[in-house]
Amino acid sequence: MPHITIQMYPGRDEETKKRLAAAVLEAASNSLAREKEHFSVSVVDVPQDQWKAAVYDKVLQDSNTIIKPGYTM
């Protein structure tokens, strides 16, 4: 069922990533009224010098992106 990918700059430890993934899983499970077993979550570190090309530009062009970035690059 749903897979959620979180992309962010490197630098957070594994415990922080696990807490974030668990919080996102909880919110998605509640919002969609589905058991947590139906979801998977990954956290992907994207280096800052690759962010614009790898994430930012794609998000702006993707018609499926519901919330666009509130910052510019």
Side-chain angles (χ1 to χ4, degrees), residues 11-69:
R12 286 135 181 124
D13 60 41
E14 288 303 310
E15 188 56 38
T16 299
K17 292 176 184 179
K18 287 178 183 178
R19 282 194 313 269
L20 173 61
V24 169
L25 172 62
E26 184 74 29
S29 174
N30 290 338
S31 293
L32 296 176
R34 300 289 303 198
E35 297 298 321
K36 293 176 188 173
E37 294 78 21
H38 296 275
F39 296 86
S40 56
V41 180
S42 61
V43 178
V44 179
D45 288 333
V46 180
Q48 186 173 357
D49 63 342
Q50 297 173 20
W51 187 263
K52 185 175 184 322
V55 179
Y56 183 80
D57 291 342
K58 291 179 181 179
V59 165
L60 288 182
Q61 295 172 7
D62 185 354
S63 63
N64 292 313
T65 300
I66 295 172
I67 300 173
K68 304 278 185 185

